[in-house]
Amino acid sequence: MVVEFGNMLTAYFDFIWMSFLLLGPMLVLGLLLSGLIHVFISREAILRWLQDDSLRSVSISSAVGVPVPLCSCSVVPVVAEMRRKGASRSSCMAFLITAPETGVDSILVTNAFFGFIVAVIRPVISFITAVVAGIFCIGLIRDDSGEARPGEEDHAHDHHNHDHDHDHDHDHGHDTLLSDKDDCYVSPSAMKVLMVKWFKGISTIASTWRFGSWIKPAFYRELNLVERRKTDEATREDVVEEEYPGLDFKKIVKHILHYGFVEIADDILFALLVGIALGGVLYLIIPADLMANEYARWISYPVMIIVGVPLYICASASTPIAAALVAKGFSPGAALIFLMTGPATNTSTIAIIMSQFGTRFAAVYVTTVILVTAALGIGIDIMLLATGITVSVNLLPSESATLQFIQWAGGIFLVVLIIWRFRAGAMRSGYEDMMLNIRPLSNRWQQPGSG
């Protein structure tokens, strides 16, 4: 018995470490891309495309939400702001679906566990679900007059006044690049001017060193020659300085890294660890022959919906759990249902959406996510059975020495990042976020005669 328990414990920690090796490089890259998206995609430019209740606006909103790394709760205040700035209800609903279901981090994590094809299919299915939901929103929630239906008002009041108190505003405490601007967007042309200015400063400092003329790259000298021929360069720097007062290249880079590796990391690391831990448990306790019965496949679909809809879990954290399910025989379609419903919905998010957009909006949102995701999941399983294609799960490190080095470096970096952020309070805030999402469901169970 002791030996068997020791073997199970060894297998469990092997799963945990393999998950770290697979997740590390991809998650690090995803966090960096999150920071880049945050700075180089303009919020105002996006909103200009989302004002109409049309297939075009819904499609653009769905596509914009795919790479954005927001969880199911942090996306709600973003969408509320979109709505206040004139975005249509259908565009808001589409963004509400794709933003939490996918993200650059979760797409790369999916690639680590399932491979490139599944990593592409996941955002495509999320995009299809969001477009269908947006179309239904256009047909079922008319807003032609610009006025909300009774019970569907856009509430601008604080969520803290509700019984479903949910302090999950990820913009709280966020330091913008410029104090007088809510958006941290920096235009590419301004970034180019600031980067050239920084390079010129570095070259000037290097020229004062003893061996400065030798170590200064020819690039700097050529750059200075080019700049002398540009008579309007000083004017461009003045314009950038006026538009972005006090901003420089180093500050932008620091902001990108802080947003990705501090703010976004704080949002997902605790949930990610919970997801990895649960994935390891499922990998050990689920019998290998559980899905051998044909009826088990059909039962797995509603079970994934029942588990995924009320559960609070981010897109990255749901991936190792789905990988463990597929490794133990669950169909890719069933795992897909969990991957889509888990990040997109939970009890608190549904309550907040009802408050912000009304019960009809929330009903269309949840119903569409469930029905479209279930239909696509079942359709994918039928297609796989018909074609004989199998979806494999990668739970082993690479055999390439170079890739092993990258995986180990990424895994160690991820461990260091977790320790650093948990020491800064991310573990406590992550736990509180999870409990805030569980509490509404537990309170409802405790209420006599609820329902």
Side-chain angles (χ1 to χ4, degrees), residues 199-440:
F199 276 133
K200 289 168 63 178
I202 293 295
S203 66
T204 301
I205 295 175
S207 64
T208 62
W209 298 345
R210 181 178 179 181
F211 301 103
S213 59
W214 176 71
I215 65 174
K216 184 172 65 171
F219 169 77
Y220 295 132
R221 292 193 294 269
E222 294 175 1
L223 183 64
N224 289 331
L225 291 174
V226 171
E227 293 306 313
R228 292 192 198 103
R229 290 196 294 266
K230 294 181 179 179
T231 57
D232 61 337
E233 180 63 29
T235 303
R236 292 210 318 244
E237 289 188 5
D238 291 340
V239 171
V240 171
E241 178 64 27
E242 183 178 351
E243 185 177 2
Y244 303 98
L247 193 62
D248 56 32
F249 179 71
K250 288 178 60 177
K251 185 175 181 180
I252 295 174
V253 173
K254 183 178 179 181
H255 188 81
I256 290 172
L257 297 177
H258 183 273
Y259 183 81
F261 293 95
V262 175
E263 297 186 34
I264 295 297
D266 286 356
D267 289 344
I268 70 173
L269 286 181
F270 180 81
L272 182 66
L273 281 183
V274 172
I276 294 174
L278 288 177
V281 171
L282 293 174
Y283 185 74
L284 290 180
I285 67 174
I286 295 178
D289 59 349
L290 177 65
M291 303 303 294
N293 192 311
E294 183 64 26
Y295 294 105
R297 177 186 297 274
W298 294 104
I299 294 175
S300 66
Y301 299 126
V303 169
M304 291 296 98
I305 293 174
I306 293 172
V307 172
V309 169
L311 181 67
Y312 170 66
I313 189 167
C314 69
S316 295
S318 65
T319 307
I321 297 177
L325 293 174
V326 174
K328 284 300 182 177
F330 277 74
S331 68
L336 174 71
I337 292 174
F338 176 76
L339 281 175
M340 296 292 104
T341 57
T345 62
N346 65 70
T347 53
S348 289
T349 299
I350 295 171
I352 296 173
I353 290 174
M354 290 176 64
S355 168
Q356 288 286 328
F357 298 97
T359 54
R360 179 175 296 189
F361 184 97
V364 172
Y365 171 77
V366 176
T367 303
T368 305
V369 170
I370 293 174
L371 294 181
V372 176
T373 302
L376 291 174
I378 295 173
I380 286 177
D381 281 347
I382 293 174
M383 182 190 70
L384 292 176
L385 290 173
T387 59
I389 300 174
T390 59
V391 175
S392 59
V393 181
N394 180 26
L395 296 178
L396 297 174
S398 173
E399 296 181 358
S400 168
T402 303
L403 291 180
Q404 283 185 4
F405 174 79
I406 295 174
Q407 289 178 341
W408 274 81
I412 294 173
F413 182 88
L414 182 57
V415 171
V416 173
L417 179 65
I418 291 173
I419 295 174
W420 174 47
R421 295 318 307 157
F422 279 10
R423 287 176 60 88
M427 182 175 184
R428 182 182 67 255
S429 61
Y431 173 78
E432 291 173 352
D433 286 342
M434 184 179 69
M435 296 308 298
L436 284 170
N437 282 274
I438 295 175
R439 191 173 297 125

Side-chain angles (χ1 to χ4, degrees), residues 5-327:
F5 177 77
N7 292 335
M8 290 183 62
L9 197 61
T10 301
Y12 178 78
F13 283 108
D14 283 343
F15 179 91
I16 299 296
W17 180 238
M18 287 303 103
S19 298
F20 271 78
L21 291 180
L22 294 170
L23 287 173
M26 295 298 182
L27 192 62
V28 169
L29 179 59
L31 294 175
L32 177 60
L33 291 176
S34 299
L36 293 172
I37 290 171
H38 175 68
V39 170
F40 295 117
I41 294 183
S42 170
R43 184 183 304 171
E44 293 294 338
I46 291 172
L47 292 179
R48 285 199 298 268
W49 294 86
L50 307 181
Q51 296 180 357
D52 301 326
D53 274 319
S54 64
L55 178 60
R56 171 177 167 273
S57 293
V58 168
S59 300
I60 293 174
S61 181
S62 301
V64 169
V66 167
V68 176
L70 294 173
C71 72
S72 57
C73 292
S74 62
V75 72
V76 177
V78 174
V79 171
E81 179 184 356
M82 290 170 57
R83 179 62 177 162
R84 286 194 296 270
K85 290 186 176 181
S88 63
R89 289 177 182 270
S90 56
S91 298
C92 290
M93 180 173 291
F95 188 85
L96 269 172
I97 292 175
T98 55
E101 282 187 346
T102 59
V104 288
D105 54 342
S106 62
I107 293 173
L108 292 172
V109 169
T110 303
N111 178 71
F113 278 104
F114 293 97
F116 176 77
I117 295 178
V118 178
V120 172
I121 291 176
R122 181 177 184 178
V124 168
I125 290 177
S126 178
F127 176 82
I128 294 173
T129 305
V131 171
V132 172
I135 293 173
F136 273 109
C137 183
I138 294 173
L140 297 177
I141 307 177
R142 297 294 181 183
D143 195 23
D144 298 332
S145 64
E147 297 179 357
R149 288 174 175 268
E152 296 177 354
E153 296 82 358
D154 289 331
H155 300 286
H157 54 270
D158 191 349
H159 294 164
H160 301 291
N161 295 329
H162 287 72
D163 294 334
H164 55 77
D165 180 23
H166 187 80
D167 185 14
H168 200 103
D169 184 0
H170 294 271
D171 288 331
H172 178 69
H174 172 69
D175 295 327
T176 57
L177 277 172
L178 297 174
S179 58
D180 60 338
K181 292 184 179 180
D182 294 332
D183 197 358
C184 295
Y185 170 71
V186 177
S187 67
S189 59
M191 183 66 177
K192 178 183 177 182
V193 171
L194 294 173
M195 183 172 64
V196 169
K197 184 178 179 180
W198 181 76
F199 276 133
K200 289 168 63 178
I202 293 295
S203 66
T204 301
I205 295 175
S207 64
T208 62
W209 298 345
R210 181 178 179 181
F211 301 103
S213 59
W214 176 71
I215 65 174
K216 184 172 65 171
F219 169 77
Y220 295 132
R221 292 193 294 269
E222 294 175 1
L223 183 64
N224 289 331
L225 291 174
V226 171
E227 293 306 313
R228 292 192 198 103
R229 290 196 294 266
K230 294 181 179 179
T231 57
D232 61 337
E233 180 63 29
T235 303
R236 292 210 318 244
E237 289 188 5
D238 291 340
V239 171
V240 171
E241 178 64 27
E242 183 178 351
E243 185 177 2
Y244 303 98
L247 193 62
D248 56 32
F249 179 71
K250 288 178 60 177
K251 185 175 181 180
I252 295 174
V253 173
K254 183 178 179 181
H255 188 81
I256 290 172
L257 297 177
H258 183 273
Y259 183 81
F261 293 95
V262 175
E263 297 186 34
I264 295 297
D266 286 356
D267 289 344
I268 70 173
L269 286 181
F270 180 81
L272 182 66
L273 281 183
V274 172
I276 294 174
L278 288 177
V281 171
L282 293 174
Y283 185 74
L284 290 180
I285 67 174
I286 295 178
D289 59 349
L290 177 65
M291 303 303 294
N293 192 311
E294 183 64 26
Y295 294 105
R297 177 186 297 274
W298 294 104
I299 294 175
S300 66
Y301 299 126
V303 169
M304 291 296 98
I305 293 174
I306 293 172
V307 172
V309 169
L311 181 67
Y312 170 66
I313 189 167
C314 69
S316 295
S318 65
T319 307
I321 297 177
L325 293 174
V326 174

